[in-house]
Amino acid sequence: MGALTVTFEDYGIAAPAEAGETILEVATRAGVGIATYCGGHGICCQCQVVVTAGQVQPKHEAHWQQWPTPDGKGIRVLACQSVVTEDITVKVPIGSRAEDFVVHQMAPLKANLVDLSRFEPLSPLAQQFVLDLPKPTLEDSVTDMDRLRRELLHRETKLEPITIDLPVLRELPQALRENDFQVAVAVSDIGLARKISAIRPPAAADSSLGLAIDVGTSTVAVQLVDLDNGQVIGRAIRRNGQIAYGEDVISRIVWTQKSPEQLQNMHRAIIDTLNQLFSYLYNEYNATPDEVIAASVAGNATMINFLLRIDASPIRRSPHTPPATEIPVFTAEQLGLNIHPQGAVCVCHPAVSGFVGGDITAGVVATGMHEAEELALLVDVGTNGEIVAGNKDWLICASCSAGPAFEGVGVEAAMPATAGAVTNFDYNRDRDAVDYQTIGNQPPRGIAGSGLVEMIASLVEAEVIDRTGNINADFPSGRLQRSDDELGFVLFNADETAIGEPIIIYQHDIENLLRSKAAVLAAINVLLGKLALAPADIEHVYLAGAFGAGLNVDKAVAIGLLPDIARERIEVVGDTALAGAYLTLMSRQAREQARATVKAMTYLDLSSDTDFMDEFIASNFIPHTDLTRFPSVST
Amino acid sequence: MGALTVTFEDYGIAAPAEAGETILEVATRAGVGIATYCGGHGICCQCQVVVTAGQVQPKHEAHWQQWPTPDGKGIRVLACQSVVTEDITVKVPIGSRAEDFVVHQMAPLKANLVDLSRFEPLSPLAQQFVLDLPKPTLEDSVTDMDRLRRELLHRETKLEPITIDLPVLRELPQALRENDFQVAVAVSDIGLARKISAIRPPAAADSSLGLAIDVGTSTVAVQLVDLDNGQVIGRAIRRNGQIAYGEDVISRIVWTQKSPEQLQNMHRAIIDTLNQLFSYLYNEYNATPDEVIAASVAGNATMINFLLRIDASPIRRSPHTPPATEIPVFTAEQLGLNIHPQGAVCVCHPAVSGFVGGDITAGVVATGMHEAEELALLVDVGTNGEIVAGNKDWLICASCSAGPAFEGVGVEAAMPATAGAVTNFDYNRDRDAVDYQTIGNQPPRGIAGSGLVEMIASLVEAEVIDRTGNINADFPSGRLQRSDDELGFVLFNADETAIGEPIIIYQHDIENLLRSKAAVLAAINVLLGKLALAPADIEHVYLAGAFGAGLNVDKAVAIGLLPDIARERIEVVGDTALAGAYLTLMSRQAREQARATVKAMTYLDLSSDTDFMDEFIASNFIPHTDLTRFPSVST
């Protein structure tokens, strides 16, 4: 491949390209991070670049836009809508660079989800031991490996049996003798045994670090953790770079089926995203890749397949089976992750099925619902929505394609829950004004997930939109506006925002949000229906996903994202997948619980369920066509 | 490296060389097989090559020879004595090519050593299963991996737990779907678990083959085995290509310590030797590398270190510890062996110490002495000599540096036990004639190990040599001759041999042979002495090593290679290391016995033992200075 060349002049990268590819596709493969929220559909307009030499062709005339540049050199276009047909040179303005938008510190996880005291004593996925070994003598002539093993078992007998792989064994004789038999040894927990995974001078191994990773379809979150005590050193979150290849798992699978190279590109995109997050954390917290000796990953089955470069197409076809629920332990070297190449043990949370992945088993372990007497419901609102109901005796799960609207994809005004994102929103009709809060108290850049929920609730209450989601064309406010032949409502004027442009919600954005909430509500109701349970039977609802802790649960019920359950029973728990990845990073008991959870869970397939389709249509209303089901929601 | 170039014109290879290297060293590294029996010491004269362009310098003037060529183009020299100082071009005559000399079929192992009925039911290191799996449906939607696992456990429940590595998991979804869920699956036994190591179309996997391998210091032997039933398909034996870098383990370790590249070269030499043996077997028996899904290797600790490219220098230094007694399972890909790259499981026999290696634990398992009531002695006469005494209750072992004389290295007249080798030898003084037998009844090319023992015994009996090993300068025979300032005795005249030259034994050859036998006898006597045992207490002596089944045990006692034990108690058992490798290839029980044997064996270090030095000097006589210890040997 690569008949053509796209030169990214600010990056010094000359990337090979095929005729017909978009600039965004070429950039993503070449590791040039261009911001996109909409998945490359010409909607969010974040991916503006300047073509300074050569010509591009429009992908879809409907989404094609071009602007002159201030200095008159080249033209400004959307990278996702510009098709390459000849060699071109491209500048990526600072404001369009992905890294400038999405690598940020994120809020800590809820303390009750990551309470390690449930799992004491700690038994991390890998541990480091600093050893001062006796030197070999005629009286004590055991082998190097037995010398290590003896000392390790002296420290902790539960490490047995201890194995080693050939690459590390090769380093052993010299490592011991060059360091006068004083070495730092990393020992991985690989399930049936422990493995000596790295040996180095004690000075080179000040700390032993691990990574807890949530590979979401839209967003990837990472925590850097001190394995000795579980302390979280730093956090970072970023768009999944695969968004350039499709918004949801199905469109991405379709894309990879075109050729083996496309699967390789999809794989590269998530590896690059992870490595960018790791680099950010290393720089920010003064760490090095070699210090990282363990990684625990949670993600849905498709994300895990792409991460491991496994064909995911069987997940798309009935009966939607992934290649394996339990993924073998692997090394960073096998994937090209920028952590200790052979000395880090990497594991993935086991999945239940093609559409209930390791992110959900991680969530179950984090909430502890699998150990509780009381009946609980875990609702994970992501691009794929997953529901688990049950307690210590039984667990049943289902999934639905919610779409990425609440994660900010397909909604022009949306953004991740980072600095400048609106988390709370209340439109006051009388004052024709918005009361709001943003992260970091900065001027608004966009609306976070929790803000989107409150916005819908508020606009319904103010009758800007009706219960079917239609914007009222007669609403008496200057905020109402017509654009691209559809109605919009200005949430913030240009002079209020940090981006110098107004933030507007359009009719199609609202429809996307309603479809997302409808899928989740329908899945919950069908699942409860099959179990002959009423909402009142549920003692705890754990609302997980992209919202963040600031979500107003009253509003979530008001718009019909959740059934009408007593509000005090609803807990917004945030990223339970990341919480579970953290727990399994730190505890063998948690790892065993995750495996046991997979065996205990029953999967209910909604994809061919007619009840689900009926409920989905009824749930596209706010909160639902049958208002008797929402007695507590004032009309 | 590689300032100079040696061009091997018949091979089309331009090999980089350093000034000061010999042609033999350069050729070995470049994979050009040049025959050598003496280890590159200018003795055997097998390594003659023709330098057709450029000049070489003598390595040692004492060994330097050069001959004109028939066509007058270039000069004929010894590759091992020709130092490269400028770019040269070299022809390797057919008669000097290693492959023409040493790849041969070899004799089968003794049936009682490789009796699989001791280990039934068989449980080979890897098994192949041809599966016809039900296709996934909504009712039967288990994952690909669980689908495989379910069917395998249906065949054999003892396969549990079953694991898979990432590279094979990557192939799984496509392999199943492209072959309509009919696949051949290789399952390896990796100790704590079984692993699915290869998946392919059933048609591509007619047979599942394994390799039993004995990596000896001087000789490497391989058996190609049908894993389904243990049938031996073919056998081959070859000089260890590392001989170019030194005759014994110590000189080779010294050579590798010069630089990491030298260790890499040493490693390459054994890999090349093995791949040449494999190629021979594949061609001869119509097999392919992909059919080979398991390999079991026995060898001493140094050979195993070199095979795996592990620094062996700690074995040279007191207390002579190898990096590990138990070697991790590895893949062909990790070493570059020409068998199934990832789908073959490769294991090494565990070692007891730096000088009692996996070849000996293999020998113990093959003889069954570790399960017997009766006291037995295993004597393995190789370049390194190893002794094990014991029974089912205890095992004690020792080693000695015997030197490679009985393997034909350092004895000009010697050769491996292949076609044309003299296996039986009797000099009749009255007739001044030799009665002999050769392998294949061909004219003599050289003397095999068993022939060397009989020759010494016969020459002593005829008083050609005295009990100190000195050739009698006054012996009345035209066979006596003086050459290079030392005495020699013509065993075969030029007109009797296949090589057109006389076969002569020289004084220094006899001294090399005596040192070898003295080391073995001294080790046995010191070991028995420490145990307060007399030779009569030993119920069985297993004589292993390079001799082959034709050895006359009476002569072995007569020259003092073995103590004076009743002859019917002595069994010549041949290559017990290869026999053990074969058993562990075919049986998990044998693999477990090998591991248990290591734990049960006590190692006695003779290297600093003064009794050993005294015994060694006394044993340089024929049979021993103290003739009262050999009552049955007539004087």
Side-chain angles (χ1 to χ4, degrees):
Chain A
M1 74 172 297
L4 303 176
T5 300
V6 176
T7 304
F8 294 96
E9 57 175 73
D10 340 75
Y11 292 76
I13 291 175
E18 288 288 351
E21 288 187 298
T22 65
I23 294 176
L24 183 61
E25 287 169 338
V26 177
T28 302
R29 198 176 55 240
V32 173
I34 296 181
T36 169
Y37 292 165
C38 73
H41 287 68
I43 295 167
C44 74
C45 298
Q46 289 289 353
C47 67
Q48 295 174 28
V49 297
V50 178
V51 177
T52 56
Q55 299 283 328
V56 292
Q57 300 298 321
K59 184 174 180 188
H60 297 296
E61 289 292 346
H63 294 298
W64 177 250
Q65 298 187 65
Q66 68 177 61
W67 304 267
T69 55
D71 59 5
K73 291 179 186 157
I75 58 157
R76 182 180 278 253
V77 292
L78 295 182
C80 72
Q81 296 299 317
S82 302
V83 169
V84 180
T85 56
E86 61 182 55
D87 290 353
I88 56 171
T89 301
V90 173
K91 280 179 76 159
V92 183
I94 298 292
S96 300
R97 294 189 187 173
E99 55 266 51
D100 297 318
F101 278 81
V102 293
V103 172
H104 286 280
Q105 283 195 317
M106 60 190 194
L109 295 170
K110 290 201 75 175
N112 60 332
L113 293 184
V114 289
D115 178 9
L116 290 175
S117 67
R118 280 166 62 197
F119 299 107
E120 282 182 339
L122 293 180
S123 45
L125 196 49
Q127 271 179 287
Q128 182 164 275
F129 297 88
V130 177
L131 307 178
D132 186 356
L133 299 168
K135 293 181 193 60
T137 61
L138 274 176
E139 291 68 41
D140 176 20
S141 64
V142 301
T143 65
D144 294 349
M145 182 64 191
D146 285 339
R147 194 168 298 273
L148 272 187
R149 188 180 272 133
R150 184 176 64 185
E151 184 66 22
L152 287 170
L153 294 181
H154 184 67
R155 300 283 186 97
E156 279 192 45
T157 50
K158 72 178 167 53
L159 294 175
E160 204 162 29
I162 300 177
T163 66
I164 193 167
D165 276 348
L166 181 57
V168 185
L169 182 60
R170 278 181 177 152
E171 293 174 13
L172 180 58
Q174 260 189 307
L176 290 181
R177 285 163 185 80
E178 282 177 359
N179 297 295
D180 216 26
F181 286 81
Q182 293 172 3
V183 286
V185 175
V187 182
S188 304
D189 182 347
I190 56 166
L192 295 170
R194 306 303 176 108
K195 184 181 283 178
I196 294 177
S197 56
I199 303 167
R200 46 195 162 165
D206 269 354
S207 46
S208 54
L209 304 179
L211 291 164
I213 301 168
D214 168 24
V215 178
T217 307
S218 300
T219 312
V220 181
V222 178
Q223 286 194 331
L224 183 66
V225 179
D226 184 333
L227 291 174
D228 286 336
N229 50 29
Q231 193 202 322
V232 175
I233 295 166
R235 309 171 178 85
I237 189 166
R238 198 179 205 293
R239 283 275 169 224
N240 185 331
Q242 297 173 330
I243 283 182
Y245 303 130
E247 284 174 19
D248 53 36
V249 297
I250 297 301
S251 57
R252 287 188 207 165
I253 293 174
V254 170
W255 194 84
T256 60
Q257 285 182 284
K258 290 178 191 164
S259 74
E261 287 72 36
Q262 307 268 67
L263 175 59
Q264 172 64 24
N265 290 340
M266 186 67 83
H267 167 69
R268 260 322 327 152
I270 181 60
I271 299 297
D272 289 347
T273 299
L274 287 170
N275 284 340
Q276 287 153 356
L277 282 163
F278 299 166
S279 293
Y280 168 81
L281 288 169
Y282 299 153
N283 284 331
E284 198 76 1
Y285 301 102
N286 199 21
T288 64
D290 271 0
E291 288 174 289
V292 177
I293 58 172
S296 172
V297 183
N300 66 52
T302 304
M303 289 304 105
I304 296 301
N305 270 33
F306 290 156
L307 174 70
L308 302 175
R309 195 164 50 74
I310 299 176
D311 177 21
S313 59
I315 295 177
R316 187 186 155 213
R317 290 190 293 262
S318 179
H320 313 293
T321 48
T325 48
E326 199 156 331
I327 298 296
V329 164
F330 57 94
T331 64
E333 196 176 41
Q334 287 179 293
L335 300 191
L337 290 173
N338 185 25
I339 58 181
H340 196 305
Q342 296 158 341
V345 58
C346 305
V347 301
C348 292
H349 259 266
V352 175
S353 71
F355 290 117
V356 175
D359 47 349
I360 298 308
T361 55
V364 170
V365 171
T367 61
M369 62 187 286
H370 63 303
E371 294 185 306
E373 291 283 345
E374 295 175 327
L375 193 60
L377 190 68
L378 170 63
V379 181
D380 192 342
V381 181
T383 310
N384 195 48
E386 293 103 350
I387 321 291
V388 186
N391 60 14
K392 70 178 176 50
D393 299 319
W394 57 271
L395 292 165
I396 185 161
C397 58
S399 71
C400 61
S401 179
F406 285 107
E407 295 189 77
V409 176
V411 177
E412 197 166 325
M415 70 172 283
T418 56
V422 175
T423 53
N424 298 89
F425 183 103
D426 186 32
Y427 171 67
N428 185 305
R429 179 176 178 155
D430 298 335
R431 300 193 342 257
D432 192 27
V434 172
D435 298 317
Y436 65 93
Q437 285 194 321
T438 63
I439 294 176
N441 291 318
Q442 298 181 11
R445 300 174 68 96
I447 321 286
S450 59
L452 292 170
V453 171
E454 296 193 11
M455 176 197 65
I456 298 285
S458 167
L459 296 186
V460 170
E461 202 179 319
E463 294 176 342
V464 177
I465 59 179
D466 65 19
R467 293 204 173 273
T468 68
N470 280 326
I471 296 177
N472 176 3
D474 303 322
F475 189 77
S477 166
R479 291 172 181 268
L480 201 68
Q481 77 165 54
R482 196 171 296 271
S483 157
D484 278 356
D485 295 325
E486 69 172 343
L487 286 171
F489 191 78
V490 177
L491 305 177
F492 299 97
N493 290 309
D495 57 2
E496 294 173 284
T497 70
I499 55 178
E501 290 173 21
I503 296 175
I504 305 170
I505 188 87
Y506 292 102
Q507 183 63 50
H508 73 267
D509 296 329
I510 295 170
E511 285 160 15
N512 281 340
L513 288 165
L514 288 195
R515 272 196 295 276
S516 285
K517 82 95 188 165
V520 173
L521 182 63
I524 296 171
N525 280 333
V526 171
L527 190 68
L528 295 184
K530 306 265 180 203
L531 297 166
L533 292 171
D537 297 324
I538 307 292
E539 308 265 3
H540 286 290
V541 176
Y542 300 107
L543 183 60
F547 297 113
L551 181 73
N552 182 326
V553 295
D554 208 47
K555 306 289 183 191
V557 175
I559 71 164
L561 170 67
L562 293 177
D564 195 350
I565 292 176
R567 306 304 182 267
E568 68 276 12
R569 295 189 179 183
I570 303 174
E571 188 182 354
V572 181
V573 286
D575 192 343
T576 50
L578 186 62
Y582 169 77
L583 294 175
T584 52
L585 182 69
M586 291 308 302
S587 162
R588 175 178 259 232
Q589 203 184 328
R591 294 189 286 280
E592 283 162 4
Q593 286 185 15
R595 278 191 290 272
T597 299
V598 168
K599 295 201 173 72
M601 270 164 99
T602 306
Y603 177 62
L604 184 68
D605 185 7
L606 298 180
S607 65
S608 52
D609 193 298
T610 51
D611 290 350
F612 177 75
M613 280 316 297
D614 294 343
E615 269 296 325
F616 175 70
I617 292 162
S619 301
N620 259 288
F621 279 68
I622 303 169
H624 190 276
T625 49
D626 181 1
L627 285 177
T628 65
R629 296 217 218 153
F630 283 80
S632 78
V633 177
S634 59
T635 53
Chain B
M1 76 172 297
L4 303 176
T5 301
V6 176
T7 304
F8 294 96
E9 58 174 73
D10 339 75
Y11 293 77
I13 290 176
E18 287 289 349
E21 288 189 297
T22 66
I23 295 176
L24 182 61
E25 287 170 336
V26 177
T28 303
R29 196 177 56 237
V32 172
I34 296 180
T36 170
Y37 291 167
C38 73
H41 287 69
I43 295 165
C44 74
C45 297
Q46 289 290 355
C47 66
Q48 294 173 28
V49 296
V50 178
V51 178
T52 57
Q55 300 282 329
V56 291
Q57 300 298 321
K59 183 173 180 187
H60 298 296
E61 288 292 346
H63 295 296
W64 176 250
Q65 298 187 62
Q66 67 178 62
W67 303 268
T69 54
D71 59 6
K73 293 178 184 156
I75 59 158
R76 183 180 279 255
V77 292
L78 296 182
C80 71
Q81 296 300 315
S82 302
V83 170
V84 180
T85 56
E86 60 182 57
D87 290 353
I88 56 171
T89 302
V90 173
K91 280 178 78 160
V92 183
I94 298 293
S96 299
R97 295 190 186 172
E99 54 267 50
D100 299 316
F101 277 81
V102 291
V103 172
H104 286 280
Q105 282 195 317
M106 60 188 194
L109 295 170
K110 290 201 74 174
N112 61 333
L113 293 184
V114 289
D115 178 9
L116 290 176
S117 68
R118 280 165 62 195
F119 298 107
E120 280 182 340
L122 294 179
S123 44
L125 196 50
Q127 271 180 285
Q128 182 164 275
F129 297 89
V130 177
L131 307 178
D132 186 356
L133 299 168
K135 293 181 194 60
T137 62
L138 273 177
E139 291 68 40
D140 175 20
S141 63
V142 300
T143 65
D144 295 349
M145 183 64 192
D146 285 339
R147 195 168 297 276
L148 271 187
R149 188 181 273 133
R150 184 175 66 186
E151 184 67 22
L152 288 169
L153 294 181
H154 184 67
R155 300 283 185 97
E156 279 192 46
T157 50
K158 71 178 168 53
L159 295 175
E160 204 162 29
I162 301 177
T163 65
I164 193 167
D165 275 349
L166 181 57
V168 186
L169 182 61
R170 278 181 178 150
E171 293 173 13
L172 180 58
Q174 259 189 308
L176 291 180
R177 284 161 186 83
E178 282 176 1
N179 297 296
D180 216 26
F181 285 82
Q182 292 170 5
V183 285
V185 175
V187 182
S188 304
D189 183 348
I190 55 164
L192 294 170
R194 308 302 177 106
K195 185 182 280 177
I196 295 178
S197 57
I199 303 167
R200 46 194 163 169
D206 270 353
S207 46
S208 54
L209 304 178
L211 292 163
I213 301 168
D214 168 23
V215 179
T217 308
S218 300
T219 314
V220 180
V222 178
Q223 287 194 331
L224 184 66
V225 179
D226 184 335
L227 291 174
D228 286 336
N229 50 29
Q231 193 201 323
V232 176
I233 294 166
R235 307 169 179 84
I237 190 167
R238 197 179 206 291
R239 284 272 170 228
N240 186 333
Q242 296 173 332
I243 283 183
Y245 303 129
E247 285 175 18
D248 54 35
V249 297
I250 297 301
S251 57
R252 288 189 206 164
I253 293 174
V254 170
W255 194 84
T256 60
Q257 285 182 283
K258 291 178 193 165
S259 74
E261 288 72 35
Q262 307 268 65
L263 175 60
Q264 173 64 23
N265 291 340
M266 187 67 83
H267 167 68
R268 252 340 308 160
I270 180 60
I271 299 298
D272 289 347
T273 298
L274 287 169
N275 284 340
Q276 286 153 359
L277 283 163
F278 299 166
S279 293
Y280 168 82
L281 289 168
Y282 298 153
N283 284 332
E284 197 76 2
Y285 301 102
N286 199 22
T288 63
D290 270 0
E291 288 174 291
V292 178
I293 58 173
S296 172
V297 183
N300 65 51
T302 305
M303 290 303 105
I304 297 301
N305 269 33
F306 290 157
L307 174 70
L308 302 176
R309 194 163 52 74
I310 299 176
D311 177 21
S313 58
I315 295 176
R316 187 185 155 214
R317 290 191 293 262
S318 179
H320 313 293
T321 48
T325 48
E326 198 154 333
I327 297 296
V329 164
F330 56 94
T331 64
E333 197 176 41
Q334 287 179 294
L335 300 191
L337 291 172
N338 185 24
I339 60 181
H340 196 306
Q342 296 158 343
V345 57
C346 305
V347 300
C348 292
H349 260 267
V352 175
S353 71
F355 290 117
V356 174
D359 48 349
I360 299 307
T361 55
V364 169
V365 171
T367 61
M369 63 187 285
H370 63 304
E371 295 185 307
E373 291 281 347
E374 296 175 327
L375 193 60
L377 191 69
L378 170 64
V379 181
D380 192 343
V381 182
T383 309
N384 195 48
E386 292 104 351
I387 322 290
V388 186
N391 60 14
K392 68 177 179 51
D393 299 319
W394 56 271
L395 292 164
I396 186 162
C397 59
S399 71
C400 60
S401 180
F406 285 106
E407 295 189 76
V409 176
V411 177
E412 198 166 325
M415 70 173 284
T418 57
V422 175
T423 53
N424 298 88
F425 183 102
D426 187 32
Y427 171 66
N428 185 307
R429 178 177 179 151
D430 298 336
R431 302 199 332 265
D432 192 25
V434 172
D435 298 318
Y436 66 93
Q437 286 193 322
T438 64
I439 293 175
N441 290 320
Q442 296 180 15
R445 298 174 68 96
I447 320 288
S450 59
L452 293 171
V453 171
E454 296 193 11
M455 176 197 64
I456 297 286
S458 167
L459 296 186
V460 169
E461 201 178 322
E463 295 177 342
V464 177
I465 58 178
D466 65 16
R467 294 204 171 273
T468 68
N470 280 326
I471 296 178
N472 176 1
D474 302 324
F475 188 77
S477 164
R479 291 174 181 270
L480 200 68
Q481 75 166 54
R482 195 170 297 270
S483 156
D484 278 356
D485 293 324
E486 71 173 341
L487 286 171
F489 191 77
V490 176
L491 305 177
F492 299 98
N493 289 310
D495 57 3
E496 294 173 282
T497 70
I499 55 176
E501 291 173 20
I503 296 175
I504 304 170
I505 188 87
Y506 293 102
Q507 183 62 52
H508 74 267
D509 296 330
I510 295 170
E511 285 160 14
N512 280 340
L513 288 165
L514 289 196
R515 272 196 294 276
S516 285
K517 82 94 188 167
V520 173
L521 182 63
I524 295 171
N525 281 333
V526 171
L527 190 67
L528 295 184
K530 306 264 182 207
L531 296 166
L533 292 171
D537 297 324
I538 307 292
E539 307 266 3
H540 286 291
V541 176
Y542 300 107
L543 184 60
F547 296 114
L551 180 73
N552 184 325
V553 295
D554 209 46
K555 306 292 184 192
V557 175
I559 70 165
L561 171 66
L562 293 177
D564 195 351
I565 291 176
R567 307 301 184 268
E568 68 276 10
R569 295 188 180 182
I570 302 173
E571 187 182 354
V572 181
V573 287
D575 191 345
T576 50
L578 186 62
Y582 169 78
L583 295 176
T584 51
L585 182 68
M586 291 309 302
S587 162
R588 174 178 259 234
Q589 204 183 329
R591 294 189 285 281
E592 282 163 3
Q593 286 185 14
R595 277 193 289 271
T597 300
V598 168
K599 294 201 173 72
M601 270 164 100
T602 307
Y603 176 62
L604 185 66
D605 185 8
L606 298 181
S607 65
S608 52
D609 193 300
T610 51
D611 291 350
F612 176 75
M613 280 317 296
D614 293 344
E615 268 297 322
F616 174 70
I617 290 161
S619 301
N620 259 288
F621 280 67
I622 303 169
H624 190 275
T625 49
D626 181 0
L627 285 176
T628 64
R629 295 218 218 154
F630 283 80
S632 76
V633 176
S634 59
T635 53

